[in-house]
């Protein structure tokens, strides 16, 4: 293809893409998504977000979203929304400190007014300064914008060094004020410090001898700084500080050319260089005390008569510079910017909440909104909760609108509809946010009147007949706790308007009220600070108390006074709208109540809501409090009610404005109709009631406990008897016997534990028993498998272990499982409780009957033990006697046919001999040893061998006498067709001799029986 064809093709593609060939700006990608338009709503993975298009500070953006019942995006945008954003946006934060804007403090202070530039206007510090290796000087300055000549804001002169240190500045008309630091005559360059706008600015200068480091700050931000200015030389001792003039000599040499023109106040001097954080504290009217040489006090200055009398002005302490989270779409990364900087933002909602707000215009109550707007001749109540309020609202206008709204709500006979309630809540949010939008408004406006009307409107919408409307909008605004937050915000604004002439303000209405007061910590360090609600008493219910120890703690921090804010709300609306809370049930306070607890039903607010906040000059201070509130626990009949001390945590659920929590709060004392609590922090408090279903009274519960104890005792005795039988009877060892022993022992321990412990549960004990028996069965099966098959295959091992595990479970579940099942159903009916007690009682008896009374092994062992006892009693010397009696059929004499029979197998015995008498033996088998133990006892006739002796010579018979000792017979393997070799051992004083023979097994004769049923071997 020719080169000109390529050129034509490229030109066509460029024209089709719509990009001019000579564009000098940034290129556009035709496939990139379009940027988000202002007011556009975009669906995201977490819900719905609306792009505002306004640039506001972080707190103003948060307020704007809350007024529309949304919140700032709590996480960086993702998906399509992230690709459509072009600029930095604010990101929300769950923590409380940023969710509430810092309150600027208003203070009244004396100001030095330097008018025209003259040589006689100056103020001198009476006390000379010590030697300074470092220093920091700060002041609030209002510069005269018309003064374009350099002037000294302050100067320090030494006896031999007039220009030891000074701060000079001048104003550029319509521009900025440039400042420079002079140390030991060395002049730093003039650099921009703040705008020449005629407003108050906070200016600071720091210097250090080491390295000559210096820095210039204004309004909390570093403006300039360098090294090498007056390095290695301190400011000499005996120096003089002068405000508003340059000293050409020690404490004098003033000139009009170098005089300052403007206003100056709050001058502070430190003998060290402050850090940026400490400079922020000084800017917020809280100067650090460490190293402070001079604190603003006009009484410590020699003031020129031309500067008198001094002027008192009311100033707002600037808000400390804070950084708030942001998200940058270009690198798609999170960051932070100064909270006061205006940025774009997104208001986000949950999907279901957004859809409900879209339907709010069709809710009942629109007629009240129209009537209020018609009377005000303005849009006061917005019908659409998702629309943005246009225009500005002054405190005077807000007060007027509130008065009109108060009148309409008081005259309204019908209950408020959800649409009206939603519009009123939004308007109250807008009113209390006025101070955050423009802090200068705090110096003007009818704030006290406005506060009265805000509390009055809040009280009117807390009437009990409005509870249904609150339930309708609870998912949108979080319930009536949003009113509590609004009133607290208003109280914080009021605290900035307090003066020494008016140290206390109290507003009280039917369902709501607040009090703002200045508290001197030294006075509160002895008794603390009490606040009582209407109808409350300091020594009874209805009060909140700041302990004296907390006041002393603040005194040790260097504070002398704080502002205390209290508010209260006494409406049943909170009980109706905050039922079914997701607060986890806590353990009852006593074991008696714990026994009666059956089933947790729910939690609800049972008392008034009371709030406590403490503010100093830098912001809110957390303090421990105690409160005592009355509750309505007696209204829940046939229910168990457990009071819980709780506080409202705004950080738990930002979608609904917060939730109740109990961290840091505990019950201090319980009374029949009230509860005293302690919390280690200050916020909004209430007594919550956890409600349980009770199906048994105290008398029935006492009867059940008695029956349970008796039943456990019966079962324990039966199980103990069974276990002792296994031990005493000498039951042969086997896998089955081992399992039975462990089962009986475990059950007996469990029953004993249940008798002595109140918190133990039968189900837990049965679980431990079953686990123990399974472990014993598995180990026994493994041992038995090794004995039968030393090297079993893997499949046999697995099958053996599985069966050893399943077998005891199948056998024991009918015994233990029935008790489990009934124990689970106890809460359904008292009959199940009695059934559980009965089953637990017969559990031991059942084990005794099955594993002891009806067990053949145990019965055989007991029979052998009885035979042994009888045999031993017959063999004892006491049983022999000397009386003559006719021989029994089993006794043989010398002339009997048995004695004249052919010779038979003869057992030769050695031992202690007496007259030759026959002996009878009883055999006791040992399953683990292939032997027969023979126990000898005395008989009245001669010993006769019952087996024929082999032919051949035989040892002579032992002499007549008595035989004492034990005989032990042990069998050994023998060849086929031969009888087993026998060894008879006589353990006694005569030693032991064994006689054995081999040959075909003889046929034993019929064994005669003794009259007492003993066998003769």
């Amino acid at each position: 293809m020719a080169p000109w064809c390529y050129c034509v093709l490229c030109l066509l593609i460029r024209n089709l893409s719509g990009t001019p060939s000579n564009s000098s700006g940034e290129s556009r990608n035709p496939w990139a998504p379009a940027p988000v338009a202002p007011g556009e709503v975009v669906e995201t993975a977490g819900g719905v977000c609306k792009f505002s298009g306004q640039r506001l500070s972080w707190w103003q953006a948060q307020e704007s979203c809350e007024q529309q019942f949304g919140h700032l995006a709590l996480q960086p945008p993702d998906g399509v929304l992230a690709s459509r954003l072009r600029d930095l946006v604010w990101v929300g934060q769950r923590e409380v400190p940023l969710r509430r804007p810092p309150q600027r403090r208003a203070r009244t202070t004396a100001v030095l007014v330097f008018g025209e530039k003259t040589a006689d206007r100056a103020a001198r510090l009476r006390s000379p300064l010590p030697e300074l290796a470092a220093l920091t000087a700060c002041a609030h300055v209002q510069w005269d914008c018309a003064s374009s000549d350099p002037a000294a804001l302050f100067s320090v002169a030494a006896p031999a060094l007039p220009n030891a240190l000074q701060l000079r500045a001048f104003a550029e008309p319509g521009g900025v004020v440039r400042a420079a630091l002079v140390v030991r005559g060395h002049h730093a360059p003039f650099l921009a410090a703040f705008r020449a706008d005629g407003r108050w600015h906070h200016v600071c200068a720091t210097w250090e001898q080491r390295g000559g480091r210096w820095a210039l700050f204004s309004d909390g931000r570093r403006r300039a700084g360098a090294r090498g200015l007056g390095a290695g030389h301190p400011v000499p001792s005996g120096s003089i500080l002068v405000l508003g003039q340059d000293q050409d000599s020690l404490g004098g040499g003033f000139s009009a050319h170098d005089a300052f023109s403007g206003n100056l106040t709050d001058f502070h001097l430190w003998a060290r260089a402050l850090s940026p954080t400490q400079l922020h504290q000084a800017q917020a009217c809280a100067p650090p005390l460490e190293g402070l040489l001079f604190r603003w006090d006009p009484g410590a200055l020699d003031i020129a008569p031309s500067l008198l009398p001094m002027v008192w002005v009311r100033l707002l302490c600037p808000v400390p510079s804070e950084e708030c989270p942001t998200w940058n779409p270009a690198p798609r990364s999170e960051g932070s910017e100064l909270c006061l900087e205006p940025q774009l933002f997104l208001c986000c909602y949950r999907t279901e909440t957004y859809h409900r707000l879209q339907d709010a215009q069709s809710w009942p109550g629109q007629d009240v909104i129209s009537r209020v707007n018609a009377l005000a001749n303005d849009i006061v109540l917005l019908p659409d909760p998702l629309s943005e309020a246009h225009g500005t609202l002054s405190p005077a206008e807000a007060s007027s609108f509130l008065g009109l709204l108060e009148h309409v709500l008081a005259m309204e006979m019908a209950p408020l509809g959800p649409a009206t309630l939603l519009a009123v809540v939004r308007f109250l949010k807008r009113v209390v946010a006025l101070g955050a939008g423009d802090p200068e408004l705090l110096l003007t406006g009818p704030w006290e009147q406005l506060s009265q009307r805000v509390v009055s409107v809040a009280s009117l919408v807390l009437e009990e007949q409005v509870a249904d409307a609150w339930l309708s909008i609870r998912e949108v605004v979080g319930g009536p706790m949003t009113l509590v937050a609004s009133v607290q915000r208003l109280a914080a604004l009021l605290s900035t308007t307090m003066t020494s002439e008016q140290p206390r303000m109290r507003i009280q209405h039917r369902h709501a009220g607040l009090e703002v007061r200045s508290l001197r910590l030294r006075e509160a360090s002895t008794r603390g600070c009490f606040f009582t609600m209407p109808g409350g008493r300091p020594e009874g219910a209805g009060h909140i108390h700041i302990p004296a120890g907390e006041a002393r703690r603040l005194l040790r921090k260097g504070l002398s006074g704080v502002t205390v804010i209290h508010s209260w709300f006494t409406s049943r609306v909170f009980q109706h709208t905050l039922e079914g809370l997701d607060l986890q049930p806590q353990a009852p306070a006593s074991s008696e109540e714990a026994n009666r607890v059956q089933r947790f039903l729910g939690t609800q607010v049972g008392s008034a809501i009371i709030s406590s906040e403490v503010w100093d000059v830098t912001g809110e201070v957390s303090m421990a409090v105690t409160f005592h509130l009355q509750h309505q626990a007696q209204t829940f009949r046939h229910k168990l009610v457990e009071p819980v001390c709780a506080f409202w945590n705004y950080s738990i659920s930002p979608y609904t404005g917060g939730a109740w929590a109990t961290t840091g709060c505990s019950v201090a004392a319980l009374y029949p109709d009230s509860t005293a609590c302690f919390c280690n922090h200050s916020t909004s408090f209430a007594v919550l009631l956890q409600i349980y279903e009770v199906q048994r009274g105290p008398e029935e519960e006492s009867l059940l406990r008695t029956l349970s104890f008796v039943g456990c005792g019966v079962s324990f005795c039966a199980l103990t008897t069974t276990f002792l039988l296994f031990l005493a009877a000498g039951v042969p060892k086997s896998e089955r016997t081992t399992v039975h022993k462990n089962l009986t022992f475990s059950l007996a321990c469990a029953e004993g534990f249940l008798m002595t412990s109140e918190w133990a549960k039968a189900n837990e004990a049965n679980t431990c028993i079953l686990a123990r028996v399974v472990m014993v069965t598995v180990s026994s099966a493994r041992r038995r498998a090794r004995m039968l098959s030393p090297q079993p295959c893997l499949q046999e091992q697995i099958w053996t272990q599985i069966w050893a595990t399943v077998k005891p479970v199948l056998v024991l579940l009918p015994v233990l499982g029935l008790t489990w099942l009934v124990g689970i159903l106890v809460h359904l009916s008292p009959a199940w409780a009695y059934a559980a007690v009965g089953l637990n009682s017969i559990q031991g008896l059942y084990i005794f009957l099955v594993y002891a009374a009806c067990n053949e092994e145990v019965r055989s062992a007991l029979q052998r033990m009885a035979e042994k006892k009888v045999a031993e009693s017959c063999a004892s010397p006491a049983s022999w006697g000397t009386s003559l009696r006719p021989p029994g059929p089993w006794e043989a004499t010398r002339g009997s046919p048995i004695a004249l029979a052919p010779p038979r197998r003869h057992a030769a015995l050695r031992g202690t001999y007496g007259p030759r008498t026959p002996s009878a033996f009883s055999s006791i088998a040992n399953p683990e040893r292939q032997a027969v133990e023979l126990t000898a006892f005395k008989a009245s006739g001669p010993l006769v061998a019952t087996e024929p002796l082999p032919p051949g010579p035989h040892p002579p018979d032992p002499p007549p006498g008595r035989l004492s000792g034990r005989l032990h017979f042990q069998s050994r393997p023998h060849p086929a067709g031969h009888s087993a070799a026998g060894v008879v051992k006589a353990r006694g004083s005569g030693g032991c001799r064994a006689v054995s023979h081999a040959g075909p097994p003889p046929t034993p004769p019929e064994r005669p029986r003794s009259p007492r049923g003993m066998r003769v071997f």
Side-chain angles (χ1 to χ4, degrees):
M1 185 181 293
W4 63 269
C5 294
Y6 287 106
C7 296
V8 173
L9 183 60
C10 292
L11 183 61
L12 289 174
I13 294 175
R14 185 180 296 272
N15 291 335
L16 289 175
S17 63
T19 305
S21 58
N22 57 351
S23 61
S24 58
E26 59 180 23
S27 61
R28 293 188 302 173
N29 185 358
W31 293 278
V36 183
E40 184 178 354
V41 178
V42 180
E43 292 188 3
T44 62
V48 176
C49 290
K50 179 181 179 181
F51 184 67
S52 173
Q54 292 182 305
R55 290 184 179 270
L56 301 175
S57 68
W58 192 92
W59 289 293
Q60 290 175 333
Q62 178 70 22
E63 289 289 347
S64 177
C65 290
E66 288 186 354
Q67 290 177 28
Q68 301 175 57
F69 307 105
H71 55 83
L72 288 178
L74 297 178
Q75 56 187 3
D78 56 357
V80 178
L81 180 59
S83 61
R84 297 182 61 187
L85 290 175
R86 298 291 183 265
D87 298 313
L88 198 75
V89 293
W90 290 122
V91 177
Q93 190 163 337
R94 297 177 183 269
E95 284 72 14
V96 173
L98 278 184
R99 289 184 59 83
R100 298 186 60 181
Q103 303 298 327
R104 301 184 71 175
R105 306 318 240 156
R107 60 191 302 265
T108 303
T109 181
V111 177
L112 294 175
V113 180
F114 297 87
E116 297 179 358
K117 297 169 67 72
T118 61
D120 59 346
R121 295 188 175 183
R124 170 180 170 174
L125 182 64
R126 296 193 188 99
S127 303
L129 300 177
E131 181 179 294
L132 298 175
L135 62 84
T136 299
C138 294
H140 277 98
V141 178
Q142 193 176 28
W143 204 275
D144 184 4
C145 299
S147 176
S148 58
D149 296 329
L153 186 63
F154 70 90
S155 63
V156 177
L161 190 62
N163 295 322
L165 191 144
Q166 60 178 291
L167 180 62
R168 301 175 64 85
F170 68 92
E172 295 179 346
V176 297
V177 175
R178 296 183 175 274
L181 192 65
V182 180
V183 180
R184 301 184 68 88
H186 299 282
H187 205 297
F190 283 99
L191 299 174
F194 52 89
R195 292 183 179 275
D197 50 10
R199 297 187 177 184
W200 288 99
H201 296 275
H202 189 257
V203 181
C204 292
T206 64
W207 173 80
E208 293 180 82
Q209 167 192 343
R210 184 177 181 180
R213 290 189 294 245
W214 63 276
L216 196 62
F217 294 82
S218 68
D219 298 329
R221 303 187 68 175
R222 181 186 172 100
R223 305 297 179 176
R227 302 169 66 93
L229 190 63
H233 301 281
V235 175
S237 61
S239 301
I240 300 298
L241 172 66
V242 173
L243 303 178
Q245 275 286 358
D246 177 19
Q247 304 177 61
D248 289 337
S249 60
L250 185 62
F254 304 148
S255 65
H257 182 268
D258 296 326
F260 166 65
S261 178
N263 301 323
L264 183 146
T265 186
D266 279 346
F267 183 87
H268 292 76
L269 182 66
W270 291 267
R272 64 189 184 95
L274 298 184
S275 65
T277 302
Q278 293 168 333
L279 290 173
H280 288 157
Q281 296 177 3
Q283 180 191 9
C285 305
L289 301 179
E290 184 181 357
L292 185 61
L293 288 178
F294 173 70
R295 185 167 189 161
W296 178 244
D297 180 12
L301 299 173
D302 289 331
I303 302 175
S306 57
L307 293 177
L308 297 176
M310 299 184 66
V311 177
W312 291 83
V313 298
R314 196 166 175 221
L315 296 177
L316 281 174
C317 300
V319 175
S321 297
E322 297 182 73
E323 291 188 350
C324 295
T326 59
W327 186 78
N328 194 341
R332 295 205 173 192
S333 62
E334 300 181 46
S336 61
E337 294 289 335
L338 290 176
C339 298
L340 295 177
E341 294 291 333
Q343 302 290 349
L344 297 171
F345 60 95
L346 294 164
C347 291
C348 296
Y349 307 83
R350 290 186 296 181
T351 305
E352 57 272 15
T353 301
Y354 185 79
H355 292 328
R356 284 186 59 83
L357 291 173
Q358 283 182 319
D359 300 336
Q361 297 187 55
S362 61
W363 291 352
Q366 300 291 337
D367 54 338
V368 179
I369 297 177
S370 302
R371 188 158 66 251
V372 171
N373 292 337
L375 292 175
N377 197 21
D378 199 348
I379 304 298
V380 178
L381 302 181
L382 296 174
D384 183 8
L386 293 174
S387 61
E388 296 184 9
H390 298 285
T392 59
L393 183 67
S394 66
E397 291 175 336
S399 179
S400 176
F401 291 154
L402 284 171
L404 192 149
L405 181 60
E406 180 184 2
H407 175 73
V408 172
L409 294 178
M411 295 294 103
E412 183 67 23
M413 300 302 295
L416 293 181
T420 304
L421 184 59
L422 197 66
V424 171
V425 169
R426 179 175 182 180
F427 183 69
L428 292 179
K429 285 176 172 286
R430 185 183 179 190
V431 170
V432 299
L434 292 176
D438 187 3
E440 299 294 335
L441 292 177
L442 295 176
L443 301 180
T444 60
W447 284 103
E448 184 174 357
Q449 182 186 29
L450 186 144
S451 302
Q452 288 276 1
R453 291 177 174 174
V454 166
V455 177
S456 177
V457 171
S459 178
L460 289 172
V461 296
L462 286 177
E463 294 288 344
E464 191 169 357
Q465 59 265 27
V466 194
D468 293 337
W470 279 111
L471 287 173
S472 301
I473 67 172
R474 180 173 61 174
E475 297 180 1
V476 177
V477 301
M481 287 303 297
T482 185
L483 285 182
V484 177
S486 297
V487 173
Q488 287 178 337
R489 290 282 305 277
L490 176 67
L493 293 176
L494 282 178
S495 64
T496 63
T497 64
M498 301 297 295
T499 61
S500 57
E501 293 80 10
Q502 188 182 12
R504 178 177 177 179
M505 182 184 302
R506 186 182 180 99
I507 302 173
Q508 179 177 333
H509 287 272
R510 181 180 179 183
H511 295 299
L514 65 87
E515 182 186 78
V516 183
R517 59 181 294 193
S518 298
L519 178 66
R520 296 184 179 274
L521 294 176
R522 193 162 298 279
E523 297 176 359
S525 61
T526 56
R527 294 185 63 252
C529 175
F530 280 92
F531 167 76
T532 58
M533 296 169 49
R537 296 173 298 140
E539 65 278 2
H543 78 270
I544 190 168
H545 175 232
I546 299 177
E550 292 295 301
R552 291 192 292 268
R553 180 175 64 87
L554 295 184
L555 277 174
R556 290 192 294 268
K557 287 186 174 182
L559 297 176
S560 59
V562 293
T563 301
V564 181
I565 303 171
H566 293 111
S567 58
W568 72 93
F569 302 86
T570 58
S571 173
R572 296 182 63 87
V573 170
F574 294 97
Q575 300 176 13
H576 296 312
T577 58
L578 296 180
E579 292 181 352
L581 302 176
D582 295 331
L583 190 66
Q584 293 294 329
Q586 298 184 351
S590 64
S591 60
E592 181 179 356
E593 291 177 346
N595 291 329
R596 282 185 280 159
V597 169
Q598 299 297 318
R599 185 162 57 97
F600 177 68
L601 298 180
T603 306
Q604 75 171 36
V605 178
S607 70
I609 296 176
I610 190 168
S611 303
S612 177
E613 294 183 0
V614 179
W615 291 76
D616 65 356
V617 293
T618 60
E620 189 175 0
V621 179
S622 181
M623 297 182 69
V625 297
T626 61
F627 59 93
H628 190 178
L629 296 176
Q630 190 173 9
H631 50 71
Q632 295 81 23
Q634 63 274 12
T635 59
F636 302 95
R637 296 186 178 183
H638 308 294
K639 296 290 188 296
L640 174 64
V641 178
E642 181 69 20
V644 176
C645 301
F647 71 97
W648 188 259
N649 191 338
Y650 292 93
S651 300
I652 291 181
S653 178
Y655 298 103
T656 58
W660 291 107
T662 59
T663 306
C665 294
S666 60
V667 176
L670 282 175
Y671 301 95
D673 59 347
S674 62
T675 301
C677 301
F678 168 81
C679 287
N680 59 7
H681 53 273
S682 54
T683 181
S684 299
F685 306 101
V687 175
L688 306 184
L689 300 180
Q690 291 185 339
I691 307 168
Y692 300 84
E693 183 180 6
V694 178
Q695 298 178 346
R696 301 189 299 268
E699 297 81 7
E700 191 173 11
E701 189 65 33
S702 177
L703 176 61
L704 278 173
R705 283 201 303 269
T706 303
L707 293 177
S708 179
F709 184 83
V710 174
C712 288
V714 172
S715 186
F716 177 78
C717 294
L719 292 167
T720 305
T721 303
T722 306
F723 183 73
L724 293 178
L725 279 177
F726 276 106
L727 295 181
V731 180
K733 294 183 178 180
S734 63
E735 178 185 353
R736 182 181 178 187
T737 304
T738 305
V739 172
H740 291 173
K741 286 182 181 179
N742 280 274
L743 172 63
T744 307
F745 179 77
S746 302
L747 277 172
C749 293
E751 295 292 348
F753 187 63
L754 289 172
M755 293 172 61
T756 57
S757 176
E758 293 184 354
W759 57 267
K761 299 292 186 296
N763 291 354
E764 298 174 0
N766 286 346
T767 304
C768 298
I769 294 166
L770 185 60
R772 169 65 178 166
V773 173
V774 169
M775 291 172 57
V776 172
T777 307
V778 171
S779 61
S780 179
R782 183 181 302 174
R783 182 170 61 252
R784 184 184 178 202
R786 286 199 302 266
M787 293 175 58
L788 297 178
S789 180
Q791 295 180 350
C793 62
L794 180 61
Q795 185 176 1
E796 292 182 0
Q797 292 182 4
I798 295 175
W799 172 251
T800 301
Q801 298 303 318
I802 293 176
W803 176 244
T805 304
V806 174
K807 181 180 178 181
V809 176
L810 297 178
V811 174
L812 294 179
L813 275 181
V815 182
L816 305 179
L818 192 59
T819 307
W820 282 339
L821 179 61
V822 176
I824 294 174
L825 303 176
V826 161
H827 68 279
L828 298 179
S829 172
W832 290 109
Y834 287 104
V837 172
L839 287 175
N840 191 50
S841 302
I842 67 174
Q843 202 171 33
L845 295 175
Y846 176 82
I847 295 295
F848 174 77
L849 293 174
V850 173
Y851 295 141
C854 300
N855 192 342
E856 291 295 335
E857 293 182 353
V858 176
R859 296 175 64 181
S860 300
L862 290 175
Q863 184 178 2
R864 288 193 298 269
M865 186 174 64
E867 291 176 355
K868 180 180 177 182
K869 290 294 183 182
V870 173
E872 289 180 350
S873 64
C874 294
S876 63
S879 66
W880 297 343
T882 57
S883 62
L884 298 176
R885 58 182 176 85
W890 60 277
E891 295 177 331
T893 59
R894 290 185 178 271
S896 64
I898 300 178
L900 301 176
R904 299 178 178 228
R905 182 177 177 180
H906 177 72
L909 305 176
R910 290 184 181 180
T912 304
Y913 298 95
R916 180 176 299 180
T917 56
S919 301
F921 303 90
S922 174
S923 66
I924 301 176
N926 189 344
E928 292 185 352
R929 189 174 180 185
Q930 299 267 333
V932 177
E933 186 176 7
L934 303 179
T935 304
F937 61 93
K938 294 295 180 178
S940 58
L943 177 64
V944 178
T946 60
E947 297 182 8
L949 296 176
H954 304 288
D957 292 339
R962 296 180 178 177
L963 176 65
S964 62
R966 293 177 63 86
L967 301 180
H968 185 74
F969 175 79
Q970 182 175 3
S971 63
R972 297 190 179 95
H974 58 83
H978 295 81
S979 63
V983 177
V984 179
K985 299 179 181 179
R987 298 187 188 128
S989 59
C992 174
R993 192 177 74 172
V995 177
S996 63
H997 76 278
T1003 302
E1006 182 179 358
R1007 299 176 182 176
R1009 296 278 183 176
S1010 67
R1012 301 183 183 180
M1014 299 285 183
R1015 291 183 180 181
V1016 180
F1017 290 87

